[in-house]
Amino acid sequence: MIDIAALTLEEKASLLSGHDDWYTEAIDRLGLPAIEVGDGPHGLRKETGVDMVWVPATGFPTASAMGASWDRDLVRRVAVAIGEEARAEGVQVVLGPGVNMKRSPLCGRNFEYFSEDPLLSGELGSAYVKGVQSVGVGASLKHFAANNQEIERTRISVEADERTLREIYLAAFERVVKAADPWTVMCSYNRLHGVHASENRWLLTTILREEWGYDGVVVSDWNAVHHRVRALAAGLDLEMPGTAGKTDAEIVSAVRAGELDESVVDEAVRRVVRLVERAHPAAVPGFEVSPGARLTDSQLELLRADEHHALAREAAAGCVTLLRNEGGVLPLNPSARVAVIGAFAAHARIQGGGSSGVDPTRVDNALDFFEAAAYAPGYVHTPLNAYQDDLTAYLAAHDATFVDDGRGPARRSAALAEALRLAAAAERVAAGPLSAEARRLIDEAVLVAQDADVIVVFAGLPLAFEQEADDRTTLSLPADQLALLDRLASLRDRTGADLVVVLSNGAAITMDPWHDRVDAIVEAWLPGQAGAGAVADVLYGRVNPSGKVAETFPLALEDTPSYVTWTGERGTVLYGEGVFIGYRWYDALNRPVRYPFGHGLSYTTFDYTNLNIKITDSVRVTCTVTNTGPRHGREVVQLYIGDPDATVRRPVRELRAFEKLTLAPGESTPVTFDLTPRDFAYWDIAAGPHGAWRLEGGEFVIEIGASSRDIRLQTTITLPDDPTLPPIIPDEKLLELGGSRFTQGHR
Ligand code: BGC
């Protein structure tokens, strides 16, 4: 480590902001290099040097797809591949994973997040960080914290009570920080209780460093710093992108004026220097992947092109979620006459819009896998991946303009966001009354499908519906696709053909009025560049689907937990539903949903037996799962805990453990889950001076299920109070004390 005492104050300050968009500052005099960071999380997004033109990289399924895999090892392997590509390109930190909660299915960036559940997000986020970092490249855990909407994202102030933050919005971050030690954590854009995350000492220092023991670098989201000195004092080490020295000078002046202790600067510098020094070997060609194994550049090239494409296909297949399969119409009979309908079959929707957009090395399209099938596009689709050529074409097609006002990178990305917003608006208008062209395409599709035994419709959301810096306003498919599905369902009723819908979307949608009129629904998510082959593998039964939704699919937007407070008003959004997000909400209300959290079908069946509980220091839960059907298959076994007797209102059930199994026909396997006191605990705001995790003694319900609404085994156990905590303060007593505790603490 270079000697920090050898640095001048100016040099130290310079290390605390970027050189530009993607590089940190070097100190040549002392041989301290710059490091390069690049976007993820679904593939490497490294700028070529030409603004908005990216180095080709493998586009993997987006996080919401990977969430549905429930597969830690798959996530880890994908992250290793992304790390390898980063290293080959000299990028030393990949900006991902994102583990924010899906407070509403409308959030435009949900495709970048794993789940509505903090345990699942935290486990998959940890696997991602471990994977990237295992090849000597750093990860950046983002966006810390409570960044759950895109509208007003840089200003909105989140008002959430501390228990909600601890149990829901911080929990995935906590798990990843403790289990995987990411080299960097990225703060979010929004405010929390009026204070920007970049200046929020409670978040960045009290919680992250003092409670969770984090000693890596806290980096800002791009342009999220509003007051450099306040941010530094709050715990924000590295400001990105650079500000051409402006904010470095502010730090220097504050120290000279005695407003900022130089030791704060030194601490941040120590962390940044350590990051640079631990990251630097990643840039050395031939970096050792594992002991004795060095890859040459050409080997890496090959890996990227072929092996990573194959991995992307395997990953996409592991994410595909079979939502509905009435009458077992899937897998398809190989001799069936198939009509493929839907423009997404010819131009795949592989990813969402914004900073995670990868320029893929190649893109598979479903039509390539259905060579003999009849095809019609059925609706208008302007292929757009979020890189410039397509964007320009797209905007031209939508009569919008890309404004490059030449004011530098930050402004340009703001212009891009604005352009995408305009494009989205245009797309929505296009989704209104059907044009003559839309009607013509539907008529043509019906004609093409009339002799088919099976109609496979590729439907889903246009890119403009799912992108950074914007949220959806509806959960429905676009109007032209609804009309298409209506006509094809009527055709099915007449001809007796099977109607199969393959969906490409990064987040939950509603399925009225077409749901009950189709035979099968295959959720392919935003599956990355090799998704089309994976879908074909599932449709023809070469792969047995094993994805399970990591987010509830509601029946209607009005049912969603945040409906009445989304997206806030007058600068503030109140998380009034508290800890009851996702399935926690629907279960509390006992409300029907379209597809519950954890749901996903298989071509085989599984039996759950032999539930056993052993209570020692921890609680050991075992059961046996058997593949009772005719095919190899994979099952996600889910363990939920409920605490009906608690003093505070708790969700009916909360996911506390899961395992993904692979079983041959007839095979049985034991599954063991070890639960810790924390798995039974809630955040008691009234425990001790600042609140604490409390295991409140009493009865707990343990459930093992194939989904949150398909519970197969259940039992009740009794646990004693946590002896390390003071007794529970009864509500009457709290009232006597006055309600102020509820708002104290981190403000
Ligand atoms: C996004 C981050 C991203 C960064 C760099 C920001 O706008 O919120 O997720 O890593 O840009 O592109």
Side-chain angles (χ1 to χ4, degrees):
M1 178 123 170
I2 64 160
D3 182 10
I4 290 176
L7 294 167
T8 65
L9 179 59
E10 285 75 5
E11 284 171 334
K12 287 192 272 192
S14 77
L15 287 174
L16 301 184
S17 68
H19 176 74
D20 56 17
D21 263 12
W22 307 113
Y23 285 89
T24 61
E25 202 65 73
I27 307 279
D28 295 336
R29 183 174 76 80
L30 297 174
L32 187 76
I35 60 166
E36 183 179 359
V37 304
D39 259 310
H42 318 127
L44 179 68
R45 177 167 154 120
K46 174 194 159 97
E47 223 172 38
T48 52
V50 179
D51 193 34
M52 300 300 293
V53 179
W54 314 97
V55 169
T58 312
F60 290 97
T62 78
S64 62
M66 295 303 289
S69 79
W70 296 61
D71 190 337
R72 299 172 178 92
D73 191 53
L74 188 65
V75 172
R76 185 193 58 78
R77 286 166 55 217
V78 164
V80 167
I82 293 169
E84 281 171 349
E85 293 190 18
R87 203 188 49 224
E89 292 293 345
V91 171
Q92 290 124 318
V93 175
V94 171
L95 303 175
V99 297
N100 296 91
M101 293 292 98
K102 300 177 201 238
R103 177 171 180 252
S104 166
L106 291 173
C107 174
R109 240 178 149 176
N110 275 0
F111 71 91
E112 279 191 66
Y113 303 136
F114 292 111
S115 176
E116 68 190 20
D117 182 85
L119 171 77
L120 182 53
S121 301
E123 284 292 288
L124 299 184
S126 299
Y128 186 101
V129 170
K130 285 180 188 165
V132 169
Q133 295 190 169
S134 72
V135 295
V137 172
S140 194
L141 182 67
K142 65 191 189 182
H143 307 90
F144 189 60
N147 176 190
N148 308 106
Q149 65 188 56
E150 289 299 290
I151 287 173
E152 305 266 322
R153 68 173 176 172
T154 60
R155 294 189 296 241
I156 196 78
S157 181
V158 170
E159 291 293 324
D161 66 276
E162 182 164 350
R163 184 179 152 215
T164 297
L165 290 171
R166 298 270 188 174
E167 292 184 24
I168 304 293
Y169 293 96
L170 300 180
F173 289 96
E174 178 182 5
R175 186 169 284 268
V176 182
V177 163
K178 289 180 175 169
D181 196 14
W183 290 5
T184 72
V185 170
M186 187 191 292
C187 80
S188 57
Y189 282 124
N190 53 286
R191 299 172 206 248
L192 180 60
H193 301 139
V195 182
H196 271 111
S198 60
E199 294 170 25
N200 201 308
R201 191 178 163 78
W202 182 74
L203 264 186
L204 303 186
T205 297
T206 311
I207 296 279
L208 182 62
R209 296 206 186 281
E210 293 170 7
E211 287 194 25
W212 299 348
Y214 183 64
D215 195 32
V217 166
V218 175
V219 58
S220 72
D221 199 342
W222 268 228
N223 303 299
V225 173
H226 301 272
H227 189 295
R228 183 61 187 109
V229 174
R230 279 210 297 266
L232 182 57
L236 186 124
D237 303 311
L238 177 62
E239 177 185 15
M240 288 299 285
T243 58
K246 178 175 168 288
T247 50
D248 302 344
E250 289 167 10
I251 292 175
V252 171
S253 310
V255 172
R256 297 243 157 89
E259 290 157 12
L260 179 71
D261 199 312
E262 193 164 348
S263 65
V264 175
V265 177
D266 288 348
E267 257 302 282
V269 168
R270 178 185 68 76
R271 289 192 284 255
V272 171
V273 168
R274 197 169 60 122
L275 171 69
V276 172
E277 291 184 344
R278 92 207 288 203
H280 196 55
V284 178
F287 176 75
E288 204 171 53
V289 185
S290 56
R294 282 170 196 280
L295 298 177
T296 62
D297 283 356
S298 54
Q299 279 174 320
L300 280 169
E301 202 55 50
L302 206 69
L303 268 180
R304 259 213 320 249
D306 293 331
E307 284 184 31
H308 287 186
H309 187 76
L311 176 61
R313 179 166 172 169
E314 184 194 337
C319 304
V320 171
T321 311
L322 180 61
L323 296 175
R324 175 178 170 90
N325 192 16
E326 289 301 290
V329 298
L330 293 179
L332 296 175
N333 179 342
S335 58
R337 281 170 306 167
V338 175
V340 173
I341 307 294
F344 291 167
H347 299 283
R349 281 277 296 106
I350 66 168
Q351 59 185 340
S355 63
S356 67
V358 169
D359 186 357
T361 55
R362 67 184 84 154
V363 176
D364 289 343
N365 289 308
L367 272 190
D368 303 335
F369 297 86
F370 291 88
E371 275 162 24
Y375 166 71
Y379 51 85
V380 181
H381 164 47
T382 316
L384 168 66
N385 288 309
Y387 40 94
Q388 201 173 22
D389 284 352
D390 280 350
L391 179 69
T392 314
Y394 179 84
L395 294 176
H398 284 80
D399 221 13
T401 355
F402 175 65
V403 200
D404 183 352
D405 59 6
R407 282 183 296 169
R411 301 295 181 147
R412 280 201 294 279
S413 50
L416 174 67
E418 175 61 10
L420 283 167
R421 204 183 58 72
L422 286 175
E427 192 104 29
R428 281 180 193 130
V429 172
L434 293 192
S435 63
E437 170 68 351
R439 286 198 301 271
R440 187 192 66 72
L441 287 170
I442 293 171
D443 289 344
E444 179 201 33
V446 172
L447 218 58
V448 163
Q450 67 186 353
D451 295 326
D453 301 321
V454 184
I455 308 166
V456 180
V457 189
F458 286 79
L461 300 179
L463 180 123
F465 280 41
E466 295 184 280
Q467 61 190 353
E468 195 171 329
D470 201 6
D471 296 323
R472 275 187 291 168
T473 52
T474 167
L475 294 181
S476 175
L477 291 179
D480 52 354
Q481 293 189 31
L482 294 180
L484 172 70
L485 285 169
D486 178 58
R487 291 282 301 282
L488 292 174
S490 301
L491 178 70
R492 163 201 176 268
D493 294 345
R494 283 202 305 280
T495 65
D498 294 333
L499 183 54
V500 176
V501 177
V502 177
L503 291 169
S504 298
N505 44 286
I509 57 169
T510 49
M511 298 183 180
D512 282 327
W514 52 273
H515 178 272
D516 294 352
R517 304 183 66 202
V518 308
D519 298 287
I521 303 175
V522 176
E523 178 55 86
W525 308 102
L526 297 179
Q529 67 180 47
V535 166
D537 287 342
V538 168
L539 290 184
Y540 279 104
R542 294 185 292 267
V543 167
N544 190 350
S546 62
K548 303 225 181 198
V549 293
E551 57 198 272
T552 309
F553 279 52
L555 283 169
L557 175 60
E558 293 76 6
D559 292 348
T560 58
S562 55
Y563 181 67
V564 292
T565 50
W566 180 263
T567 52
E569 55 208 8
R570 302 181 86 70
T572 292
V573 57
L574 177 68
Y575 285 18
E577 70 284 2
V579 299
F580 297 91
I581 77 161
Y583 65 94
R584 289 164 167 84
W585 170 260
Y586 303 104
D587 286 354
L589 271 63
N590 199 14
R591 216 187 143 82
V593 298
R594 178 62 75 195
Y595 289 112
F597 178 78
H599 166 81
L601 304 173
S602 165
Y603 297 148
T604 188
T605 47
F606 299 97
D607 248 24
Y608 289 62
T609 52
N610 294 340
L611 177 60
N612 267 300
I613 310 267
K614 200 163 157 218
I615 303 176
T616 52
D617 281 349
S618 67
V619 176
R620 171 161 288 194
V621 180
T622 53
C623 69
T624 304
V625 179
T626 306
N627 180 347
T628 49
R631 288 168 178 263
H632 272 81
R634 305 197 69 196
E635 173 70 326
V636 178
V637 183
Q638 302 157 41
L639 185 151
Y640 296 89
I641 296 182
D643 181 7
D645 293 344
T647 305
V648 298
R649 287 179 188 82
R650 300 195 70 181
V652 178
R653 61 181 57 82
E654 298 186 90
L655 183 76
R656 288 296 187 241
F658 65 92
E659 212 50 71
K660 189 161 188 174
L661 310 173
T662 305
L663 292 171
E667 188 182 347
S668 283
T669 192
V671 192
T672 302
F673 298 111
D674 284 316
L675 303 170
T676 63
R678 172 76 182 266
D679 292 324
F680 296 87
Y682 60 85
W683 182 259
D684 185 359
I685 56 165
H690 305 295
W693 291 105
R694 176 183 291 278
L695 191 170
E696 182 179 344
E699 283 204 342
F700 292 88
V701 180
I702 310 267
E703 297 174 325
I704 308 266
S707 89
S708 61
R709 294 228 171 145
D710 183 9
I711 301 301
R712 304 292 185 86
L713 302 166
Q714 186 192 5
T715 190
T716 302
I717 62 170
T718 304
L719 294 177
D721 261 326
D722 181 343
T724 62
L725 286 177
I728 289 172
I729 307 177
D731 284 357
E732 311 82 71
K733 183 84 174 153
L734 274 178
L735 288 170
E736 281 162 29
L737 292 171
S740 57
R741 304 182 58 102
F742 292 91
T743 52
Q744 271 175 10
H746 52 270
R747 288 186 175 233

